[in-house]
Structure formats: structure tokens, C-alpha cells
Amino acid sequence: MKKTATITVGLALAAVLALGSVGIADEHEEAVKKDLFAVITLEGHPCGVVTSFTRQGEADYIVVCQTGDRYHVRLVPEGRVSVQKL
Amino acid sequence: MGQIAIILAVLLVATEAAGWISENSRGQPGNGGKGTIIESTMTRIASGDITPSVAPTTAETTEPTPSPESAAPTVPAPSTESATPVEPADEEQRPKTNVGASQPPLNLAELEKRIRETDALGFFTKLSLKNQVDSLLSRFNAYHKGKSDLSIAQLRERYNLLLLKLVSLLEDDDAQLSHDIFTSREAIWKVLVDPEQFAQLQES
């Protein structure tokens, strides 16, 4: 009886942790989208909303916007941000 | 039977918590539409729908002494007509935050430090803003050396635009900093247009 209760609590905690990590990952993705959207518009390009992005490497993303525009956003060696329309 | 009830209760709470986190991160209308103001403002800035809305005051018309634009007219007020909806407006019209209106204005060093430290801006955004600030400062440098092709009015317009972008980006997630920048705009402008203060700034 005690063993069953321990397993039950363990499973419940695992479920909580799993669901929590999904939420954190989702939050991180939204933060990246917001950052990419902000930099694209700061550089004067149209976007609407960032619909998806692909991480190419460290500080290097391919971004797809609601407008249909695709951009290559990356850090260039001079310490500047490059936003290139594809 | 009691154990099943406990499991179901815990799972229910976990699901609710995950849904809450997810909803917050997306800026759903249920969360006050967080992020939507930034998006609409930045989109409008990008598309040229709005112009700098930080209306100059009398202090803005102060011409720096070595101005190569001595014959230039006084600073025209940027159009506020189209920018009214996103204008941060007067301090009394900003009830969102419990900010101290009597705080001293930020200096540029403090401003840089607080922008570096805020979590409201992402890595690329901060870097892009830094690039734009550096670009503006180099234009002021050229202006003070008499080598600029921009008039003081054009510099003011660029300054206003950059300030508007910054205030808009910070408005939702760091309203205190957004407010402090807005209320410090004239103090910062005075440093930029004063040749001596600008030279000290460049040295530091």
C-alpha cells in the first residue's frame, strides 16, 4: 500500500515536471520570436509577426514572417547584427 | 480509489499550470495582449506610418555654439498627428506604472547600464539598438566637427525616432525604464548638442 502511494506521488511529480518544462520551452521560443521580430523591424524591414524560425548556429537564424518575407538574422564579426532578406 | 483521485487532482493542477505559462509567454489577450503594442508600434515605425512623436520643447531649439548650420531655421516640431496613438504622451497620461516622476534624469552611462541589464530586450534587439546609438553618436561627432551633412533638426528627428523605438520596446516589460528614458530625453539631448559635454562623453 505504501509502495503504491510512493509510485503514485512519483508519477504525479514527473508529470508536473514534464508539463512545466514544456511550458518553459514554449516561453523561450516566444522570447526568441519576440527578439527576432524586434530586430527585423528595428532594421526597417516588414514582418508582421514571426511565424517560425530555424536556428542555424550560434546567433544565426532563418526567420519566416507573417508577411511571407524570409530573413537571415545573424551576428556578424564586427559585432553587428545583420538582417538580410532572402 | 483515493489514490486515483489524488493523481487526477495533481495532473489537473499541472495541466492548468502549463496552460497558464504557455498563455503568458504568447501574450494572449487574456494576459492583456502583452507584446501586441510593441509589435504594432514597431511595424508602424518600419512601414513609415508613424514619425517621431516626442515633441521638442523649447530646450530642443538650443543650437550648439559651433554649429555649422548657423543659418539653419529653428527646429521644426516633428509631426505628431499620425503618431498620436502610440505617443507615450505626458507623464500624467502614463498611469501604467507607479513611477517616481521626481527622479533625476538618467545620464547616458546609467542608461546604457540599465539597457544592458534589462530582461525586456533580447540579445539581437540590444545589439541592434547599440549599433544605432553608435551610429547616431558618430553623426553628432561629425556635426560638432563641422563635417556633418545633417542639420540639427535632422539629428533631432533621428534622435526622436530612436528614442521612440526604445520606449516602445520597453513599454510592456520594463515600464519603469521606459518612463525614465522618456523623462530623461531632454537631459540627454542637451548633452548631445553641447560641444563640451559631448566631448566629455566621448572621452569617458
Side-chain angles (χ1 to χ4, degrees):
Chain A
M1 184 68 181
K2 191 177 176 183
K3 189 179 176 183
T4 311
T6 308
I7 292 169
T8 304
V9 171
L11 286 171
L13 283 174
V16 169
L17 290 173
L19 288 168
S21 64
V22 168
I24 291 166
D26 194 22
E27 194 171 16
H28 175 70
E29 185 176 313
E30 289 303 317
V32 174
K33 277 186 179 178
K34 185 179 165 187
D35 189 25
L36 291 169
F37 170 77
V39 74
I40 288 167
T41 50
L42 269 174
E43 298 290 326
H45 299 283
C47 183
V49 173
V50 170
T51 52
S52 65
F53 64 85
T54 311
R55 190 170 181 269
Q56 304 267 89
E58 187 73 24
D60 190 339
Y61 293 87
I62 299 294
V63 185
V64 181
C65 289
Q66 192 182 36
T67 53
D69 298 305
R70 293 173 72 240
Y71 298 99
H72 187 190
V73 179
R74 67 196 169 102
L75 180 65
V76 291
E78 304 85 50
R80 300 181 71 86
V81 181
S82 164
V83 178
Q84 186 182 10
K85 194 174 188 305
L86 299 175
Chain B
M1 190 64 183
Q3 291 169 358
I4 293 171
I6 290 169
I7 294 170
L8 286 173
V10 171
L11 285 174
L12 185 64
V13 170
T15 309
E16 288 293 321
W20 181 83
I21 291 168
S22 177
E23 184 174 312
N24 270 333
S25 66
R26 286 196 191 98
Q28 296 292 320
N31 187 32
K34 188 178 180 182
T36 55
I37 294 172
I38 291 175
E39 288 169 8
S40 64
T41 306
M42 296 308 294
T43 305
R44 293 179 64 196
I45 289 170
S47 65
D49 282 353
I50 57 174
T51 53
S53 60
V54 186
T57 63
T58 51
E60 293 166 19
T61 57
T62 307
E63 291 280 342
T65 42
S67 170
E69 308 281 343
S70 55
T74 54
V75 181
S79 167
T80 55
E81 199 173 296
S82 60
T84 304
V86 293
E87 184 175 12
D90 297 333
E91 281 73 20
E92 60 268 22
Q93 292 179 334
R94 298 171 59 86
K96 286 183 181 178
T97 53
N98 184 21
V99 292
S102 61
Q103 286 182 345
L106 289 173
N107 61 42
L108 281 169
E110 280 178 88
L111 175 63
E112 185 180 349
K113 182 172 180 285
R114 287 184 61 184
I115 290 175
R116 276 180 194 275
E117 289 174 354
T118 185
D119 292 328
L121 304 174
F123 169 75
F124 282 120
T125 311
K126 285 181 184 176
L127 203 54
S128 177
L129 284 168
K130 182 186 179 299
N131 295 159
Q132 293 187 25
V133 168
D134 288 346
S135 171
L136 187 65
L137 288 177
S138 69
R139 288 188 177 278
F140 272 98
N141 195 28
Y143 179 80
H144 288 301
K145 288 179 178 172
K147 295 176 181 173
S148 176
D149 53 346
L150 296 179
S151 67
I152 192 70
Q154 289 170 317
L155 284 172
R156 179 71 201 205
E157 198 173 317
R158 290 180 185 223
Y159 171 76
N160 283 347
L161 182 58
L162 186 53
L163 211 75
L164 176 65
K165 288 176 182 175
L166 193 51
V167 167
S168 301
L169 284 166
L170 291 166
E171 202 166 27
D172 282 338
D173 295 328
D174 196 341
Q176 180 69 58
L177 181 54
S178 177
H179 175 272
D180 291 348
I181 290 170
F182 183 76
T183 54
S184 305
R185 67 196 185 283
E186 292 310 322
I188 296 170
W189 174 252
K190 281 179 184 172
V191 171
L192 294 175
V193 296
D194 183 88
E196 286 181 18
Q197 290 188 63
F198 186 78
Q200 286 173 3
L201 176 72
Q202 294 291 87
E203 288 166 14
S204 61

